[in-house]
Short mmCIF file of all heavy atoms in Angstrom, two decimals:
data_model
loop_
_atom_site.label_atom_id
_atom_site.label_comp_id
_atom_site.label_asym_id
_atom_site.label_seq_id
_atom_site.Cartn_x
_atom_site.Cartn_y
_atom_site.Cartn_z
N ALA A 1140 0.90 -1.23 -0.03
CA ALA A 1140 0.02 -0.05 0.06
C ALA A 1140 0.85 1.28 0.04
O ALA A 1140 0.56 2.20 -0.70
CB ALA A 1140 -0.92 -0.06 1.25
N ASP A 1141 1.98 1.29 0.83
CA ASP A 1141 2.80 2.39 0.82
C ASP A 1141 3.52 2.59 -0.54
O ASP A 1141 3.61 3.74 -1.01
CB ASP A 1141 3.94 2.17 1.85
CG ASP A 1141 3.53 2.44 3.23
OD1 ASP A 1141 2.48 3.19 3.49
OD2 ASP A 1141 4.20 1.99 4.22
N ASN A 1142 3.94 1.57 -1.16
CA ASN A 1142 4.63 1.60 -2.48
C ASN A 1142 3.62 2.27 -3.46
O ASN A 1142 3.96 3.11 -4.24
CB ASN A 1142 5.11 0.22 -2.95
CG ASN A 1142 6.45 -0.14 -2.40
OD1 ASN A 1142 7.43 -0.06 -3.16
ND2 ASN A 1142 6.56 -0.42 -1.10
N GLN A 1143 2.41 1.71 -3.54
CA GLN A 1143 1.40 2.15 -4.46
C GLN A 1143 1.06 3.60 -4.31
O GLN A 1143 0.96 4.37 -5.18
CB GLN A 1143 0.31 1.24 -4.55
CG GLN A 1143 -0.72 1.58 -5.68
CD GLN A 1143 -1.74 0.53 -5.88
OE1 GLN A 1143 -2.02 -0.26 -5.05
NE2 GLN A 1143 -2.33 0.59 -7.14
N ALA A 1144 0.92 3.96 -3.03
CA ALA A 1144 0.58 5.45 -2.72
C ALA A 1144 1.63 6.30 -3.23
O ALA A 1144 1.40 7.32 -3.84
CB ALA A 1144 0.40 5.54 -1.18
N LEU A 1145 2.88 6.08 -2.91
CA LEU A 1145 3.97 6.92 -3.32
C LEU A 1145 4.16 7.00 -4.77
O LEU A 1145 4.34 8.13 -5.42
CB LEU A 1145 5.30 6.55 -2.55
CG LEU A 1145 5.63 7.29 -1.28
CD1 LEU A 1145 4.47 7.03 -0.21
CD2 LEU A 1145 6.90 6.84 -0.75
N VAL A 1146 4.12 5.87 -5.42
CA VAL A 1146 4.41 5.79 -6.89
C VAL A 1146 3.19 6.58 -7.57
O VAL A 1146 3.46 7.26 -8.53
CB VAL A 1146 4.54 4.38 -7.31
CG1 VAL A 1146 4.33 4.22 -8.90
CG2 VAL A 1146 5.77 3.65 -6.83
N SER A 1147 2.07 6.41 -7.06
CA SER A 1147 0.93 6.99 -7.66
C SER A 1147 0.93 8.59 -7.55
O SER A 1147 0.74 9.30 -8.50
CB SER A 1147 -0.38 6.52 -7.03
OG SER A 1147 -0.59 5.12 -7.27
N ALA A 1148 1.24 9.05 -6.29
CA ALA A 1148 1.33 10.46 -6.15
C ALA A 1148 2.50 11.01 -6.94
O ALA A 1148 2.35 12.22 -7.53
CB ALA A 1148 1.47 10.75 -4.66
N ALA A 1149 3.52 10.32 -7.07
CA ALA A 1149 4.67 10.75 -7.86
C ALA A 1149 4.23 10.93 -9.33
O ALA A 1149 4.59 11.95 -9.98
CB ALA A 1149 5.85 9.89 -7.68
N ALA A 1150 3.56 9.93 -9.83
CA ALA A 1150 3.18 9.99 -11.20
C ALA A 1150 2.24 11.11 -11.49
O ALA A 1150 2.29 11.83 -12.54
CB ALA A 1150 2.43 8.68 -11.56
N ILE A 1151 1.37 11.46 -10.54
CA ILE A 1151 0.37 12.54 -10.72
C ILE A 1151 1.22 13.90 -10.74
O ILE A 1151 0.98 14.78 -11.54
CB ILE A 1151 -0.64 12.61 -9.54
CG1 ILE A 1151 -1.58 11.46 -9.56
CG2 ILE A 1151 -1.34 13.92 -9.42
CD1 ILE A 1151 -2.46 11.20 -8.35
N GLY A 1152 2.18 14.01 -9.75
CA GLY A 1152 3.07 15.05 -9.79
C GLY A 1152 3.89 15.32 -11.10
O GLY A 1152 3.96 16.47 -11.58
N ALA A 1153 4.35 14.32 -11.51
CA ALA A 1153 5.32 14.22 -12.73
C ALA A 1153 4.43 14.77 -13.86
O ALA A 1153 4.99 15.61 -14.81
CB ALA A 1153 5.84 12.93 -13.02
N ARG A 1154 3.17 14.38 -14.00
CA ARG A 1154 2.33 14.88 -15.11
C ARG A 1154 2.10 16.51 -15.11
O ARG A 1154 1.81 17.11 -16.09
CB ARG A 1154 1.01 14.11 -15.10
CG ARG A 1154 1.16 12.72 -15.56
CD ARG A 1154 -0.20 12.01 -15.84
NE ARG A 1154 -1.03 11.81 -14.66
CZ ARG A 1154 -1.08 10.74 -13.94
NH1 ARG A 1154 -0.33 9.66 -14.25
NH2 ARG A 1154 -1.85 10.65 -12.83
N LYS A 1155 2.29 16.94 -13.88
CA LYS A 1155 2.09 18.34 -13.67
C LYS A 1155 3.33 19.14 -13.63
O LYS A 1155 3.42 20.39 -13.33
CB LYS A 1155 1.26 18.69 -12.40
CG LYS A 1155 -0.09 17.99 -12.40
CD LYS A 1155 -0.77 18.25 -11.03
CE LYS A 1155 -2.22 17.72 -11.08
NZ LYS A 1155 -2.90 17.93 -9.75
N GLY A 1156 4.51 18.34 -13.72
CA GLY A 1156 5.87 19.05 -13.74
C GLY A 1156 6.23 19.29 -12.28
O GLY A 1156 7.16 20.11 -12.08
N LYS A 1157 5.68 18.54 -11.34
CA LYS A 1157 6.00 18.77 -9.92
C LYS A 1157 6.73 17.43 -9.47
O LYS A 1157 6.18 16.37 -9.44
CB LYS A 1157 4.82 18.94 -9.05
CG LYS A 1157 4.08 20.24 -9.46
CD LYS A 1157 2.92 20.51 -8.54
CE LYS A 1157 2.22 21.85 -8.71
NZ LYS A 1157 1.08 22.15 -7.78
N LYS A 1158 8.02 17.51 -9.03
CA LYS A 1158 8.78 16.43 -8.65
C LYS A 1158 9.47 16.56 -7.31
O LYS A 1158 10.58 16.13 -7.17
CB LYS A 1158 9.73 16.12 -9.79
CG LYS A 1158 9.06 15.81 -11.10
CD LYS A 1158 10.00 15.30 -12.13
CE LYS A 1158 10.29 13.78 -11.95
NZ LYS A 1158 11.00 13.19 -13.01
N HIS A 1159 8.82 17.22 -6.39
CA HIS A 1159 9.30 17.33 -5.03
C HIS A 1159 8.41 16.63 -3.98
O HIS A 1159 7.24 16.72 -4.06
CB HIS A 1159 9.47 18.82 -4.64
CG HIS A 1159 9.97 19.04 -3.24
ND1 HIS A 1159 9.30 19.83 -2.26
CD2 HIS A 1159 11.14 18.63 -2.64
CE1 HIS A 1159 10.01 19.89 -1.17
NE2 HIS A 1159 11.03 19.12 -1.28
N ILE A 1160 9.06 15.80 -3.14
CA ILE A 1160 8.36 15.04 -2.13
C ILE A 1160 8.91 15.33 -0.76
O ILE A 1160 10.15 15.37 -0.56
CB ILE A 1160 8.44 13.60 -2.40
CG1 ILE A 1160 7.85 13.24 -3.83
CG2 ILE A 1160 7.68 12.75 -1.42
CD1 ILE A 1160 8.12 11.78 -4.34
N ILE A 1161 7.99 15.40 0.19
CA ILE A 1161 8.37 15.69 1.55
C ILE A 1161 8.00 14.48 2.48
O ILE A 1161 6.87 13.96 2.32
CB ILE A 1161 7.63 16.98 2.15
CG1 ILE A 1161 8.05 18.26 1.37
CG2 ILE A 1161 7.94 17.14 3.64
CD1 ILE A 1161 7.23 19.39 1.72
N SER A 1162 8.87 14.00 3.31
CA SER A 1162 8.53 12.95 4.21
C SER A 1162 9.44 13.20 5.45
O SER A 1162 9.91 14.28 5.68
CB SER A 1162 8.91 11.63 3.60
OG SER A 1162 8.40 10.54 4.44
N THR A 1163 9.52 12.13 6.33
CA THR A 1163 10.36 12.40 7.48
C THR A 1163 11.56 11.36 7.56
O THR A 1163 11.50 10.31 6.93
CB THR A 1163 9.51 12.20 8.82
OG1 THR A 1163 9.20 10.77 9.02
CG2 THR A 1163 8.20 12.95 8.70
N ALA A 1164 12.51 11.66 8.41
CA ALA A 1164 13.65 10.84 8.56
C ALA A 1164 13.48 9.52 9.26
O ALA A 1164 14.22 8.63 9.10
CB ALA A 1164 14.77 11.56 9.29
N PHE A 1165 12.35 9.28 9.89
CA PHE A 1165 12.16 7.99 10.53
C PHE A 1165 10.89 7.24 10.06
O PHE A 1165 10.33 6.32 10.79
CB PHE A 1165 12.01 8.22 12.13
CG PHE A 1165 10.77 8.81 12.68
CD1 PHE A 1165 10.53 8.65 14.02
CD2 PHE A 1165 9.84 9.48 11.86
CE1 PHE A 1165 9.32 9.18 14.53
CE2 PHE A 1165 8.70 10.01 12.36
CZ PHE A 1165 8.42 9.73 13.72
N GLU A 1166 10.57 7.29 8.79
CA GLU A 1166 9.49 6.51 8.15
C GLU A 1166 9.91 5.10 8.10
O GLU A 1166 11.13 4.78 8.25
CB GLU A 1166 9.20 7.06 6.82
CG GLU A 1166 8.70 8.46 6.69
CD GLU A 1166 7.28 8.61 7.32
OE1 GLU A 1166 6.41 7.81 7.02
OE2 GLU A 1166 7.10 9.58 8.12
N HIS A 1167 8.94 4.17 7.97
CA HIS A 1167 9.25 2.77 7.71
C HIS A 1167 9.96 2.68 6.41
O HIS A 1167 9.84 3.54 5.49
CB HIS A 1167 7.92 2.07 7.66
CG HIS A 1167 7.99 0.52 7.55
ND1 HIS A 1167 8.33 -0.04 6.45
CD2 HIS A 1167 7.91 -0.31 8.64
CE1 HIS A 1167 8.48 -1.46 6.65
NE2 HIS A 1167 8.10 -1.55 7.95
N HIS A 1168 10.80 1.72 6.20
CA HIS A 1168 11.56 1.43 5.07
C HIS A 1168 10.69 1.23 3.77
O HIS A 1168 11.28 1.42 2.69
CB HIS A 1168 12.51 0.36 5.28
CG HIS A 1168 13.73 0.71 6.09
ND1 HIS A 1168 14.09 0.03 7.17
CD2 HIS A 1168 14.70 1.69 5.86
CE1 HIS A 1168 15.26 0.59 7.68
NE2 HIS A 1168 15.61 1.61 6.89
N ALA A 1169 9.44 0.84 3.94
CA ALA A 1169 8.55 0.74 2.81
C ALA A 1169 8.47 2.19 2.13
O ALA A 1169 8.26 2.24 0.88
CB ALA A 1169 7.28 0.23 3.22
N ILE A 1170 8.50 3.18 2.92
CA ILE A 1170 8.50 4.57 2.44
C ILE A 1170 9.80 5.00 2.03
O ILE A 1170 10.07 5.42 0.81
CB ILE A 1170 7.97 5.50 3.52
CG1 ILE A 1170 6.41 5.19 3.86
CG2 ILE A 1170 8.00 6.99 3.05
CD1 ILE A 1170 5.43 5.44 2.78
N LEU A 1171 10.78 4.90 2.88
CA LEU A 1171 12.19 5.37 2.56
C LEU A 1171 12.79 4.77 1.33
O LEU A 1171 13.46 5.41 0.51
CB LEU A 1171 13.06 5.23 3.83
CG LEU A 1171 12.81 6.10 5.03
CD1 LEU A 1171 13.66 5.75 6.19
CD2 LEU A 1171 12.71 7.56 4.76
N HIS A 1172 12.69 3.38 1.28
CA HIS A 1172 13.26 2.79 0.02
C HIS A 1172 12.54 3.16 -1.24
O HIS A 1172 13.22 3.26 -2.30
CB HIS A 1172 13.18 1.24 0.31
CG HIS A 1172 14.16 0.75 1.30
ND1 HIS A 1172 14.30 -0.56 1.73
CD2 HIS A 1172 15.04 1.47 2.12
CE1 HIS A 1172 15.14 -0.68 2.71
NE2 HIS A 1172 15.67 0.53 2.82
N THR A 1173 11.21 3.38 -1.20
CA THR A 1173 10.47 3.81 -2.32
C THR A 1173 10.87 5.15 -2.71
O THR A 1173 11.02 5.55 -3.94
CB THR A 1173 8.92 3.73 -2.16
OG1 THR A 1173 8.53 2.47 -1.65
CG2 THR A 1173 8.21 4.08 -3.30
N LEU A 1174 11.14 6.01 -1.71
CA LEU A 1174 11.59 7.47 -2.03
C LEU A 1174 13.01 7.43 -2.64
O LEU A 1174 13.33 8.21 -3.58
CB LEU A 1174 11.68 8.30 -0.68
CG LEU A 1174 10.33 8.59 -0.09
CD1 LEU A 1174 10.56 9.25 1.25
CD2 LEU A 1174 9.43 9.33 -0.99
N LYS A 1175 13.86 6.49 -2.20
CA LYS A 1175 15.21 6.29 -2.83
C LYS A 1175 15.05 5.98 -4.36
O LYS A 1175 15.71 6.53 -5.17
CB LYS A 1175 16.00 5.31 -2.08
CG LYS A 1175 16.58 5.69 -0.84
CD LYS A 1175 17.79 6.69 -1.05
CE LYS A 1175 18.44 7.05 0.20
NZ LYS A 1175 19.42 8.11 0.04
N LYS A 1176 14.12 5.11 -4.58
CA LYS A 1176 13.82 4.67 -6.01
C LYS A 1176 13.31 5.93 -6.75
O LYS A 1176 13.82 6.08 -7.92
CB LYS A 1176 12.78 3.57 -6.00
CG LYS A 1176 12.42 3.11 -7.37
CD LYS A 1176 11.36 1.90 -7.27
CE LYS A 1176 10.97 1.53 -8.75
NZ LYS A 1176 9.96 0.49 -8.65
N LEU A 1177 12.42 6.61 -6.24
CA LEU A 1177 11.94 7.83 -6.92
C LEU A 1177 13.02 8.89 -7.19
O LEU A 1177 12.94 9.56 -8.18
CB LEU A 1177 10.70 8.45 -6.24
CG LEU A 1177 9.47 7.55 -6.22
CD1 LEU A 1177 8.44 8.14 -5.11
CD2 LEU A 1177 8.96 7.45 -7.56
N GLU A 1178 13.98 8.98 -6.22
CA GLU A 1178 15.05 9.97 -6.42
C GLU A 1178 15.90 9.56 -7.65
O GLU A 1178 16.31 10.41 -8.45
CB GLU A 1178 15.99 9.90 -5.15
CG GLU A 1178 15.53 10.74 -4.04
CD GLU A 1178 16.52 10.71 -2.84
OE1 GLU A 1178 17.06 9.82 -2.51
OE2 GLU A 1178 16.64 11.88 -2.35
N LYS A 1179 16.09 8.32 -7.91
CA LYS A 1179 16.77 7.82 -9.11
C LYS A 1179 16.06 8.16 -10.37
O LYS A 1179 16.54 8.17 -11.49
CB LYS A 1179 17.00 6.38 -8.92
CG LYS A 1179 17.98 5.93 -7.91
CD LYS A 1179 18.15 4.42 -7.79
CE LYS A 1179 19.12 4.05 -6.62
NZ LYS A 1179 19.22 2.59 -6.50
N GLU A 1180 14.63 8.43 -10.32
CA GLU A 1180 13.85 8.75 -11.35
C GLU A 1180 13.70 10.28 -11.51
O GLU A 1180 12.89 10.73 -12.28
CB GLU A 1180 12.48 8.05 -11.14
CG GLU A 1180 12.60 6.51 -11.16
CD GLU A 1180 11.14 5.89 -10.96
OE1 GLU A 1180 10.18 6.68 -10.92
OE2 GLU A 1180 11.12 4.67 -10.74
N GLY A 1181 14.38 11.00 -10.74
CA GLY A 1181 14.50 12.43 -10.90
C GLY A 1181 13.70 13.29 -10.02
O GLY A 1181 13.60 14.50 -10.03
N PHE A 1182 13.17 12.64 -8.94
CA PHE A 1182 12.38 13.34 -7.88
C PHE A 1182 13.42 13.85 -6.77
O PHE A 1182 14.35 13.21 -6.50
CB PHE A 1182 11.33 12.41 -7.23
CG PHE A 1182 10.13 12.19 -8.15
CD1 PHE A 1182 10.23 11.26 -9.13
CD2 PHE A 1182 9.01 13.03 -8.03
CE1 PHE A 1182 9.15 11.03 -9.91
CE2 PHE A 1182 7.91 12.73 -8.80
CZ PHE A 1182 8.07 11.84 -9.80
N GLU A 1183 13.00 14.94 -6.24
CA GLU A 1183 13.79 15.55 -5.18
C GLU A 1183 13.05 15.27 -3.80
O GLU A 1183 11.80 15.55 -3.74
CB GLU A 1183 14.03 16.98 -5.29
CG GLU A 1183 14.88 17.61 -4.22
CD GLU A 1183 15.11 19.10 -4.39
OE1 GLU A 1183 14.66 19.60 -5.39
OE2 GLU A 1183 15.57 19.75 -3.40
#
């Protein structure tokens, strides 16, 4: 569910030219690792 949520929101943002995501330093790794993947795809 975490993976799908982040990937979906990122896709919505990318379609609008928005590629910045905010989270926290102590999230579960399901969030942090997905964010790392999105960083490799050009998200900040």
Side-chain angles (χ1 to χ4, degrees):
D1141 282 343
N1142 275 254
Q1143 187 166 21
L1145 267 59
V1146 168
S1147 299
I1151 293 171
R1154 289 193 290 268
K1155 298 178 180 179
K1157 297 183 176 184
K1158 304 190 75 173
H1159 176 237
I1160 300 172
I1161 298 170
S1162 190
T1163 76
F1165 74 160
E1166 297 291 315
H1167 190 275
H1168 281 122
I1170 296 292
L1171 294 177
H1172 289 177
T1173 305
L1174 291 176
K1175 282 290 186 183
K1176 179 181 177 182
L1177 291 171
E1178 281 185 314
K1179 295 177 182 178
E1180 297 175 8
F1182 287 83
E1183 183 180 350

